[in-house]
Amino acid sequence: MAKLIYALIILLLVLATPAMGKPSCETVSKRLAPCLSYIQGRYHSIKPSGRCCRGLIDISNMMKNRGDYSTVCKCIKKALLHTNYDPKRFQTGSQQCNTGYTLPPVGHTTTC
């Protein structure tokens, strides 16, 4: 029984480790990709797609940690550097997707 408990503890630690690390710009870009047409205003629906919502929920969870907020914000700006988009759509999309944390409107001039 003790071996089983130790095995479960080790498994939980291994699974929890990636969540404790700093988010990478690659991860942020991947989560943002399904939302590109939505934030550019090209998406023909009022609400973001399901894939976009899952990405916004992940990004929202990354930004909840104040230390990671700046990192994620900078990654969003970097990923969208040469893209014309409406920064307010981050906020609107996160509200429509019920992310639990409303994303700020991250634009090219946002101070992270």
Side-chain angles (χ1 to χ4, degrees), residues 25 36 56 58-59 67 70 86 88 108 111-112:
C25 285
L36 190 57
L56 289 176
D58 289 346
I59 290 171
S70 177
D86 182 359
K88 293 178 186 170
H108 297 297
T111 302
C112 296

Side-chain angles (χ1 to χ4, degrees), residues 41-88:
R42 293 187 292 152
Y43 194 64
H44 299 293
S45 177
I46 296 172
K47 186 175 179 185
S49 69
R51 286 185 64 215
C52 176
C53 280
R54 285 189 294 278
L56 289 176
I57 288 168
D58 289 346
I59 290 171
S60 171
N61 288 334
M62 290 180 223
M63 291 185 96
K64 282 181 186 176
N65 182 346
R66 193 68 193 153
D68 293 341
Y69 175 90
S70 177
T71 302
V72 175
C73 177
K74 289 174 185 174
C75 289
I76 291 171
K77 287 176 64 171
K78 182 179 175 184
L80 299 174
L81 183 62
H82 302 291
T83 305
N84 291 325
Y85 66 98
D86 182 359
K88 293 178 186 170

Side-chain angles (χ1 to χ4, degrees), residues 4-26:
L4 178 62
I5 292 173
Y6 289 126
L8 287 174
I9 290 171
I10 290 171
L11 179 63
L12 288 174
L13 288 173
V14 168
L15 293 176
T17 301
M20 291 183 217
K22 290 272 184 203
S24 70
C25 285
E26 180 181 354

Side-chain angles (χ1 to χ4, degrees), residues 94-108:
S94 67
Q95 290 169 341
Q96 291 173 329
C97 295
N98 298 316
T99 61
Y101 172 80
T102 302
L103 296 172
V106 178
H108 297 297

